[in-house]
C-alpha cells in the first residue's frame, strides 16, 4: 500500500540564476553609457564636445546618471535574492528609458543637442550614446523582470513514515 506522505505544499517565487548573465549585460551597457561620453573624444566619437573626461551637466543628466542606474541595476540583479533583483530591474529599466527619452526632453530645460560630424556619424552617435543603448538596457531589464516574476519553486514537506507494525511480534503472539 503506497501512502502519500506529503503533508504540506507551499509555492514561492524565487531568484533565478538565469538573470545573472542579463545582469552582466546590463553592467556592460551601463559602463558604456557612462564611459562613452568621457572617452569618446579620444576616438573622434565625442558628442557635443571634443574634450575627453569632461563632466558637464549635460553629460550627467543624459549619459552618466542613467549609465550609473543601469550599471547598479545590473550589479544588484546578480545578488541571489528576489527583492533586490526585482528592484534592480526597475532601476535598470528607468535608466534605459531615460537614455531613450532624455535627449528628446532635454531641450525643455537645457541647450539644444547636436553631435558633430557627418550625417552618418551623427546617426551613429545618437544610436550609440542614447537610443540603442537605452533600448538594449530596457529590453534586458524587462526580460530579467519577466524571469524574476514567473519563476516558481515548489517546496514539499514529507511526513515521517508511519511505523510499520511488527510482523514478527504479531506472528509470535498468534502462535
Amino acid at each position: 500500500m503506497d501512502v502519500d506522505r506529503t503533508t504540506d505544499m507551499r509555492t514561492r517565487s524565487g531568484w533565478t540564476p538565469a538573470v545573472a548573465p542579463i545582469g552582466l549585460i546590463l553592467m556592460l551597457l551601463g559602463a558604456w553609457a557612462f564611459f562613452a561620453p568621457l572617452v569618446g573624444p579620444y576616438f573622434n566619437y565625442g558628442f557635443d564636445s571634443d574634450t575627453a573626461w569632461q563632466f558637464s551637466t549635460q553629460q550627467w543628466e543624459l549619459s552618466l546618471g542613467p549609465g550609473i542606474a543601469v550599471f547598479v541595476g545590473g550589479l544588484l540583479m546578480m545578488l541571489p535574492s528576489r527583492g533586490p533583483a526585482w528592484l534592480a530591474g526597475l532601476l535598470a529599466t528607468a535608466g534605459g528609458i531615460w537614455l531613450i527619452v532624455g535627449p528628446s526632453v532635454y531641450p525643455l530645460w537645457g541647450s539644444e543637442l547636436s553631435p558633430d560630424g557627418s550625417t552618418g556619424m551623427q546617426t551613429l552617435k545618437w544610436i550609440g550614446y542614447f537610443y540603442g543603448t537605452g533600448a538594449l538596457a530596457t529590453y534586458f531589464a524587462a526580460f530579467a523582470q519577466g524571469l524574476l516574476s514567473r519563476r516558481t519553486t515548489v517546496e514539499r514537506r514529507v511526513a515521517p513514515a508511519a511505523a510499520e507494525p511488527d510482523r514478527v511480534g504479531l506472528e509470535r503472539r498468534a502462535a
Side-chain angles (χ1 to χ4, degrees):
M1 175 183 221
D2 191 1
V3 177
D4 183 22
R5 297 184 299 174
T6 304
T7 59
D8 184 21
M9 182 184 285
R10 291 183 281 171
T11 60
R12 64 176 174 84
S13 295
W15 179 83
T16 177
V19 299
I22 296 170
L24 180 64
I25 291 169
L26 287 170
M27 289 173 62
L28 292 173
L29 287 169
W32 169 260
F34 185 87
F35 286 111
L38 299 177
V39 298
Y42 285 134
F43 308 104
N44 199 22
Y45 193 67
F47 193 94
D48 205 29
S49 175
D50 291 332
T51 307
W53 296 102
Q54 177 185 357
F55 291 93
S56 68
T57 303
Q58 176 182 332
Q59 287 176 327
W60 274 109
E61 292 173 348
L62 295 176
S63 294
L64 304 179
I68 291 170
V70 172
F71 182 87
V72 170
L75 182 66
L76 289 175
M77 197 169 288
M78 296 174 74
L79 295 176
S81 178
R82 183 176 184 267
W86 194 79
L87 179 64
L90 288 177
L91 183 64
T93 302
I97 289 172
W98 184 250
L99 283 169
I100 295 170
V101 300
S104 299
V105 298
Y106 183 75
L108 294 174
W109 70 85
S111 62
E112 190 70 31
L113 297 174
S114 59
D116 300 327
S118 66
T119 305
M121 192 60 172
Q122 286 180 358
T123 302
L124 287 176
K125 288 178 182 179
W126 280 106
I127 292 171
Y129 272 79
F130 303 112
Y131 303 127
T133 306
L136 286 172
T138 303
Y139 170 76
F140 284 114
F143 186 72
Q145 287 284 53
L147 285 175
L148 289 167
S149 65
R150 71 180 179 91
R151 174 97 171 152
T152 303
T153 57
V154 177
E155 292 180 10
R156 292 185 181 185
R157 291 188 183 199
V158 179
E164 296 265 340
D166 186 15
R167 293 181 193 265
V168 177
L170 290 175
E171 292 174 359
R172 286 185 191 161
R173 280 186 236 150

